[in-house]
Each structure stands twice: as C-alpha cells, then as structure tokens.
Amino acid sequence: MPVLYGTADSPACRAVYMTADALGLKLEKKQVSLDKGEHMKPEYLKINPQHTIPTLCDNGFIIWDSHAIIAFLVGKYGNDDQLYSKDIMERALIDQRLHFDSSVVNNFTRTILNPMLYNNAHISVDEHRESILKTYALMEKFLRSYPWIAGKKLTIADLSLIPSITSLDVIVPISREDYPNLTKWIEKAERLPCYVENENGLNLLRDLLSCRCCCPCTEDISIKSGFRVTSREFVEMTMKLYFFEAAPPVRSVLMTLKALDITVELVRLNLSEKEQLDASFLELNPTHTVPTLDDNGFVVWDSHAIMQYLVDKYAINDELYPKNFNKRTKVNQMLFFDTSILFPSLARAVRPVFYDDVTSIPTENIVVIEEAFSFLETFLSSQEYLAGDVLSLADICAVATVTTIELFHKLNGDMYPNVKAWLDNMKSLDFYSENLEGLQKFSDMLLPLLKP
Ligand SMILES: N[C@@H](CCC(=O)N[C@@H](CS)C(=O)NCC(=O)O)C(=O)O
C-alpha cells in the first residue's frame, strides 16, 4: 500500500487524500506534524530534502508535491483517465489549473496559513484580503463556462483546488452573491463522496484558526486601455505566443520552442505599459500573465503548462517531457518546485523594486533565494539534471529563473558547486541563446532601480 506522509490540516495533503479516495485507493497515512518540526528530522529529509508535505512512497518510488503526486496516482491506480485526461488539450487545461493552484492559491497557504498555524505568527488577514478576493474572482471566471474548474468533468485540478480554496474560505469567507459560480462549485464538491477527506482536515483547520471575518467583496480586476501588438515573426502556423521577453517564464517557453524547433507568431505585450490588462487580452487570459499561448483558438497560459503542451503536441520525441510514467512524475515534481519555490523566490525579491519603489533587496528575501539554491544543490548532488540524468523541461524553467536571480545575487560556486556546473552546462546548450535578449532587458529594467 502506498505510504503518504502528511497531516490533514494541510490543504495539499487533503488533495492527495481526496484523489486516493476518488480512485478507491487505500493509503497508509503517516502523520508528519509541521508544528512539531517532524518535517525537518533527518529521516524525513532523507526521503524529501525539500521537507514539504505531502510525500508519497510507492513501493520505493518517492515523490513529493501534491500536484505531481495526484497526477501520478491517477496514472498508476486509475482505471481510466477520467480525472486526468490523456487528451492533449484537456490535459493542458488541467495542468494550467494545477500550476495556478501551486503558484497563486498555495502561495496563501505558505504565506498566511502555515505561519499562523505553525509559527504562531500574527498575520494580518486584511493585508491579504484584496489578493485573496482577486483569486476568488479569477476562480469565478474560470467557472463561468463549465461546472468544474477544467471543463465538464471533475478532474485532479478540482481535487487540488477544492482543499486550497475551502481553506482560504476559512479566513476570507466566500460571498455567495459575489461569487455564485464559485459557491456552486464548492457545493457540488461537498456532495462528492471523496469530500469527506477534505471535510475532516478542514474542520481541524477551522478549530486551529479562530479568525473568521466577514468581507464584502468589491474587488474587480481593473481593465486598462489597449495593448500594442507587434508581430516579430510570422509563419503559416496560427500559433501565437503573447510574450514580454524580460519575463523569465516567457524565456522558458522561448527556449523550449527553440529546443523543439517550433516557430510561432510572437505578440509582444509591454508589461511596463500594463498592456496585459487590456480587455481583449483579459478575455484570453483573465490572470493577465505572459506567456500565454493561443494555438489556433486553444488558449493555454502558465509557462509550465505551455511547455508540457508543446512537447506532447508537437515534439518529434518525448526527451524533454518523457512519456515514461515515473520519469514524467519526477519532471512534474521539479516543474512544481519552480512554480512554488524557485520562481516565487525571484518574484518576491524583485516585485517590490518594480512596483513599490524599493531600491535594495532585503536580506530576508535573499535568504529565501539561498534556500532555493540549496534545494537545487541537493537535487543536483546525485544527478546531472533536475529530474534525473537527462535534460528536461524542469531544467529549462529553472535556468530562466536562476540566471535572472544572478543579475542581482550571484550564485556562490563554492557553496553550490553542483548548481554552478549545471548552470555552466545549461548555458552551453544551443537553445540557451533564447534566454539572452530577455535577460538583458530584465537587467536594463532592474539594475537602474537598485542602489549601487
Ligand atoms: N506561473 C506563471 C507566472 C507568469 C507570470 O507571473 N508572469 C508575469 C511576468 S514574470 C506577468 O505576466 N505579470 C503581469 C501580470 O501579472 O499582470 C507562468 O509560469 O507562466
């Protein structure tokens, strides 16, 4: 029986419990309490150096990150692909929602719930209310056309987001009037037999968190005037990539396109001019992020989901994103490492410089980056690439992020020799050239804003 390390008050663990239940799979649940620091014990670090819960051990195959775990469970134990469709487009949408959960929604778990629960931190929910309400508004939009978050059917994207969103509801209640689709989605989820696996932990969380306050939602996503469209290159294909070359997730996709030898029409949105908030772009991507891919009407955003889609749909082989199930699961785990740890460590450092007139990067943000570097060092201590001994999409994502961090915080090669060797190798690969122009642009934008 697969062993699951975790605890029910964690939304990520509940996503795995619900998925296992939906599959009729029994898990041996081993309690790892974050408040007792059990995740930092050497025996736990041995199985998961990233010290996160949940971690799955399936007959010796170890995998962490709830999103990677639930995708694995469906592939390995599902009777069919109902919960994680094998159809490339349906899957791309599910992947996109999983990355949305990992990067946006779970960010609140990391920055609000966990510090409140496990570090006794006093967190002002009011400070985060606006961004939580924005997240509800996005969910509301996603649920505008379909009853489930990634289409007509229940998928692992729902099983992942249900625990995250219902946990947020404990601290910022979801108003039925403002978010009718979101409310209906939660009510439908509550009727699922597997919901019991969320309910138990959610009740535990409610007990642990006493704060529950009312908040009328007035937040709406602002829409600004038109964006300029510049086609840099046009080919017969109708695939368009909305991009801003300085953005690291864009550069990951550009490198992937080059590695796969695929040409697309490039549509530039100048983020400095807020062109991504134009109404017509918001129609395509309500989260207003680049990169966004429009493949002949099929729209997918989130760099990771785009890259997965590109390999599955257009690559002549599966080298960058293997079809071999365990190998793919390891790549997924590392893609979610980028979504949840590595890229946020960069964003947390530079966003205040770009948006809040901050002129130096505080030490606490550098500490977070160093922690991400040391995870990379551990991952690379026994293998040449992040997900094993061959290059994968995970390396391409990570190199865009790490090289951007290096613009303001150099990686110490003595402390992180494995990362240094990996980085040097990555820079020597042919597709890496696609990182350079945007990296320079990022540097031109950032460095003048920092005090020497
Ligand atoms: N998880 C997303 C992150 C994308 C993202 O945050 N892009 C930023 C640029 S680095 C963006 O488009 N920001 C504009 C906005 O949020 O309005 C991905 O990998 O694509």
Side-chain angles (χ1 to χ4, degrees):
M1 187 190 302
V3 177
L4 203 271
Y5 296 86
T7 171
D9 44 76
S10 144
C13 294
R14 279 183 265 131
V16 181
Y17 298 162
M18 283 180 78
T19 306
D21 194 76
L23 295 171
L25 172 71
K26 285 256 165 302
L27 293 174
E28 184 185 340
K29 294 178 185 167
K30 288 207 175 157
Q31 177 76 14
V32 176
S33 300
L34 301 189
D35 52 346
K36 293 191 194 133
E38 289 171 352
H39 60 307
M40 298 307 280
K41 292 199 169 147
E43 55 272 28
Y44 190 69
L45 289 175
K46 223 190 260 168
I47 59 165
N48 176 355
Q50 203 181 310
H51 52 77
T52 50
I53 52 167
T55 298
L56 183 85
C57 181
D58 182 48
N59 209 7
F61 180 66
I62 289 169
I63 195 82
W64 60 86
D65 188 287
S66 60
H67 311 89
I69 294 173
I70 61 182
F72 171 79
L73 289 180
V74 175
K76 173 126 191 226
Y77 294 103
N79 294 329
D80 50 40
D81 68 350
Q82 283 274 335
L83 289 173
Y84 192 33
S85 172
K86 289 201 173 83
D87 174 272
I88 291 174
M89 289 184 182
E90 288 176 6
R91 178 162 287 207
L93 191 59
I94 299 168
D95 287 336
Q96 175 201 92
R97 303 299 200 231
L98 291 176
H99 285 285
F100 172 76
D101 183 47
S102 173
S103 60
V104 178
V105 190
N106 290 172
N107 190 36
F108 298 120
T109 312
R110 288 185 288 271
T111 55
I112 310 177
L113 290 178
N114 288 353
M116 275 174 162
L117 287 175
Y118 309 122
N119 307 342
N120 242 338
H122 179 76
I123 306 276
S124 153
V125 173
D126 274 342
E127 272 175 30
H128 298 273
R129 191 178 306 279
E130 195 180 313
S131 30
I132 292 176
L133 292 177
K134 260 190 180 167
T135 305
Y136 293 163
L138 286 174
M139 290 289 294
E140 181 70 16
K141 282 195 181 156
F142 298 160
L143 290 160
R144 201 168 40 186
S145 333
Y146 294 111
W148 296 105
I149 204 68
K152 290 186 190 142
K153 290 178 299 190
L154 174 85
T155 68
I156 52 170
D158 298 284
L159 297 177
S160 192
L161 278 156
I162 288 162
S164 319
I165 293 288
T166 53
S167 301
L168 276 187
D169 174 54
V170 175
I171 53 169
V172 176
I174 296 168
S175 129
R176 171 181 276 275
E177 291 74 49
D178 294 321
Y179 309 107
N181 298 328
L182 182 56
T183 308
K184 266 190 240 145
W185 172 74
I186 294 177
E187 287 169 353
K188 256 198 333 283
E190 284 168 350
R191 292 196 289 275
L192 296 170
C194 65
Y195 188 80
V196 65
E197 293 288 346
N198 186 44
E199 200 163 28
N200 297 339
L202 196 60
N203 287 336
L204 191 63
L205 184 77
R206 273 186 219 288
D207 290 345
L208 291 170
L209 294 168
S210 53
C211 114
R212 202 182 155 110
C213 42
C214 280
C215 55
C217 167
T218 50
E219 186 58 24
D220 197 9
I221 295 165
S222 63
I223 295 171
K224 299 246 167 71
S225 61
F227 63 84
R228 186 160 40 88
V229 174
T230 319
S231 298
R232 264 198 343 198
E233 214 176 317
F234 183 74
V235 282
E236 279 132 38
M237 295 175 74
T238 49
M239 193 147 55
K240 280 184 188 158
L241 181 73
Y242 293 84
F243 84 111
F244 181 57
E245 65 279 18
V250 165
R251 284 184 263 126
S252 310
V253 173
L254 293 175
M255 284 190 272
T256 305
L257 286 166
K258 166 110 176 172
L260 299 177
D261 200 16
I262 298 172
T263 320
V264 295
E265 181 190 345
L266 291 169
V267 182
R268 187 168 189 270
L269 299 183
N270 188 342
L271 299 195
S272 312
E273 302 291 328
K274 301 242 182 290
E275 290 175 347
Q276 79 279 19
L277 298 180
D278 180 84
S280 52
F281 186 62
L282 284 173
E283 266 305 304
L284 282 186
N285 174 357
T287 68
H288 51 80
T289 53
V290 287
T292 295
L293 185 79
D294 181 348
D295 184 7
N296 208 8
F298 176 69
V299 179
V300 57
W301 65 86
D302 186 282
S303 55
H304 313 85
I306 293 173
M307 292 158 77
Q308 291 165 293
Y309 171 77
L310 287 172
V311 176
D312 278 345
K313 181 123 193 220
Y314 295 110
I316 50 169
N317 61 45
D318 67 347
E319 273 170 19
L320 290 176
Y321 193 43
K323 290 207 162 46
N324 172 288
F325 192 54
N326 286 9
K327 288 183 184 163
R328 174 165 287 214
T329 300
K330 283 285 177 197
V331 177
N332 287 341
Q333 174 182 287
M334 286 301 142
L335 290 176
F336 285 109
F337 171 75
D338 184 62
T339 304
S340 60
I341 306 285
L342 190 59
F343 180 70
S345 78
L346 163 67
R348 180 180 161 146
V350 299
R351 280 192 180 141
V353 180
F354 286 129
Y355 303 117
D356 304 328
D357 295 331
V358 167
T359 56
S360 65
I361 294 168
T363 316
E364 75 233 38
N365 290 351
I366 298 295
V367 169
V368 174
I369 287 173
E370 285 290 314
E371 194 188 11
F373 282 171
S374 71
F375 283 138
L376 288 175
E377 182 67 14
T378 310
F379 302 151
L380 292 164
S381 62
S382 54
Q383 55 198 29
E384 202 177 331
Y385 294 99
L386 285 177
D389 285 323
V390 283
L391 176 82
S392 76
L393 294 181
D395 301 285
I396 301 182
C397 277
V399 80
T401 312
V402 172
T403 51
T404 311
I405 293 174
E406 279 222 290
L407 293 174
F408 59 91
H409 181 66
K410 268 254 161 296
L411 178 106
N412 181 335
D414 294 333
M415 274 172 80
Y416 308 112
N418 295 316
V419 187
K420 171 86 174 66
W422 166 83
L423 199 53
D424 290 344
N425 176 28
M426 291 299 291
K427 287 179 183 173
S428 73
L429 300 175
D430 197 35
F431 60 77
Y432 181 77
S433 57
E434 287 297 308
N435 192 39
L436 294 173
E437 184 187 341
L439 192 61
Q440 183 60 48
K441 170 93 186 158
F442 197 102
S443 167
D444 294 344
M445 288 166 62
L446 180 77
L447 299 191
L449 302 175
L450 290 175
K451 262 202 223 121

